[in-house]
Amino acid sequence: MSKLVITKLTLEQLREIQVSPDHAVGKLPQLLETLSDQDQEIRAWAADCIQSVEELDAEAARTVAAYCSHSNESIASWACRLIGISASVVDYQDQLITALEKHDSLGVKQSAAQALAKVGCGLSERARVCLQQAADSSDARLQRLAKQALEQ
């Protein structure tokens, strides 16, 4: 089975998306991959395009959820944030929990906790346990975000 290769976007493509932000949702895999580009300006444009996304449909959420544990901190963090704006965030608790429990990056853990806060009363028992552990973190922001998620 071959792995699907997602290509990064060029500056010209990013500018086109910035002009028509409604196209960003359809390009999220490419935008996320572009966050790992060597060029800082390209990464900044990709982040700006991602930030323009206001909501995710079910298909986009399913695609983005796979990036929550990406080894690249920016990609994983943005993926968690995007799942947090999805109407189906409750369906992706496992991916957010994995990011919160296992990712090396504190920023990714914070983004995952923030996204879990959007689940509200639908938090799974596993999510509650994970957030309770995060609430005991030595990082003050992660503590606060985890506690806020538990209070929802």
Side-chain angles (χ1 to χ4, degrees), residues 32 56 60-70 79 83 92 95-96:
L32 288 166
L56 293 185
R62 186 173 36 258
T63 301
V64 168
Y67 287 91
C68 288
S69 293
H70 197 282
I83 291 300
Y92 298 101
Q95 290 85 345
L96 295 169

Side-chain angles (χ1 to χ4, degrees), residues 19-71:
V19 171
S20 301
D22 52 317
H23 291 71
V25 172
K27 297 284 189 185
L28 281 172
Q30 294 92 337
L31 286 166
L32 288 166
E33 288 293 339
T34 303
L35 292 170
S36 67
D37 197 274
Q38 296 294 326
D39 186 320
Q40 183 178 355
E41 182 180 7
I42 297 282
R43 292 191 312 268
W45 273 89
D48 288 346
C49 290
I50 293 168
Q51 194 166 12
S52 73
V53 174
E54 295 180 3
E55 61 183 83
L56 293 185
D57 59 31
E59 183 180 341
R62 186 173 36 258
T63 301
V64 168
Y67 287 91
C68 288
S69 293
H70 197 282
S71 60

Side-chain angles (χ1 to χ4, degrees), residues 9-31:
L9 298 170
T10 65
L11 185 57
E12 293 77 27
Q13 292 169 314
L14 292 165
R15 286 182 175 146
E16 288 174 19
I17 293 169
Q18 192 68 33
V19 171
S20 301
D22 52 317
H23 291 71
V25 172
K27 297 284 189 185
L28 281 172
Q30 294 92 337
L31 286 166

Side-chain angles (χ1 to χ4, degrees), residues 2-3 31-32 43 58 68 81 93 106 108 119 121 125:
S2 64
K3 184 177 179 180
L31 286 166
L32 288 166
R43 292 191 312 268
C68 288
R81 289 181 205 165
Q93 291 182 73
L106 182 59
V108 172
V119 174
C121 63
E125 185 58 32

